[in-house]
Amino acid sequence: MMLRAGGKRLLGIGFVRQVAASPAAAATATATAARSYHERVVDHYNNPRNVGAFDKKDPTVGTGLVGAPACGDVMKLQIKVDENTGKIVDACFKTFGCGSAIASSSVATEWVKGKKIEEVLSIKNTAIANHLSLPPVKLHCSMLAEDAIKAAVKDYEKKRDKLGQNKEPALDTAEKAANA
């Protein structure tokens, strides 16, 4: 009998853990609730927009692949550009990482759609972080999203240069934005 009760205790079977309702326990519960994700992060994590992939060989598609080895987040963001208007007509992503990384990718794809290349280069990580109310420890996720947008634009312009379609030979759009 004693052995059976001890085995159940080790396995956590048949016992209900009781937590004292002390002020310290209440403060811990409040701190835990304060650290939870903002509802926009949860929404984009549970219902990510524009998940998928385009054919990376398509000359109208730019692919940005970025990662943060320290935290394990990897983000692939792709844009599809209308060659006549220079506007991004579609965007998609695949992200391996935390909820904040997935939400940042999802927001980035929504924000780039319908904008010209020059406009999307002005999207800053701070705007994404503010929109999602990311805590300081998660700011690297919004930085990855900004970097992925820039990398996708750079890839698209590189393809245009190869095909001789880039009308601005001196500086590409990404370099101009970086120099501004």
Side-chain angles (χ1 to χ4, degrees):
M1 177 80 165
M2 188 73 151
L3 183 58
R4 193 173 296 163
K8 285 183 178 181
R9 185 174 301 133
L10 282 174
L11 296 173
I13 302 171
F15 290 94
V16 177
R17 185 174 171 207
Q18 295 179 352
V19 179
S22 67
T28 303
T30 304
T32 303
R35 286 184 288 197
S36 64
Y37 283 113
H38 188 274
E39 63 188 39
R40 286 190 196 113
V41 174
V42 174
D43 180 38
H44 279 275
Y45 176 77
N46 287 330
N47 308 298
R49 283 68 152 181
N50 310 307
V51 175
F54 300 131
D55 179 7
K56 65 181 181 179
K57 293 178 185 175
D58 182 342
T60 65
V61 171
T63 302
L65 182 63
V66 295
C71 64
D73 295 329
V74 178
M75 190 179 291
K76 180 173 90 169
L77 187 136
Q78 293 181 298
I79 56 172
K80 189 173 190 83
V81 182
D82 180 335
E83 304 238 341
N84 297 325
T85 63
K87 285 188 176 183
I88 297 171
V89 293
D90 205 359
C92 63
F93 79 95
K94 285 188 179 180
T95 295
F96 176 80
C98 66
S100 296
I102 292 167
S104 295
S105 305
S106 180
V107 167
T109 59
E110 284 192 321
W111 286 8
V112 300
K113 283 184 178 183
K115 292 191 173 122
K116 289 192 174 249
I117 298 265
E118 299 82 23
E119 291 177 86
V120 301
L121 291 172
S122 68
I123 296 173
K124 299 294 178 204
N125 68 296
T126 51
I128 295 169
N130 288 337
H131 177 73
L132 294 171
S133 298
L134 293 179
V137 73
K138 293 295 182 178
L139 291 180
H140 67 278
C141 298
S142 62
M143 289 180 203
L144 278 178
E146 179 184 343
D147 291 345
I149 293 168
K150 289 179 179 175
V153 168
K154 189 172 184 176
D155 182 59
Y156 169 72
E157 289 183 339
K158 185 176 167 184
K159 287 179 181 179
R160 284 185 54 187
D161 285 344
K162 272 188 181 178
L163 297 173
Q165 295 175 346
N166 202 344
K167 297 173 182 116
E168 299 177 12
L171 281 177
D172 68 10
T173 312
E175 288 175 0
K176 282 184 182 178
N179 293 334

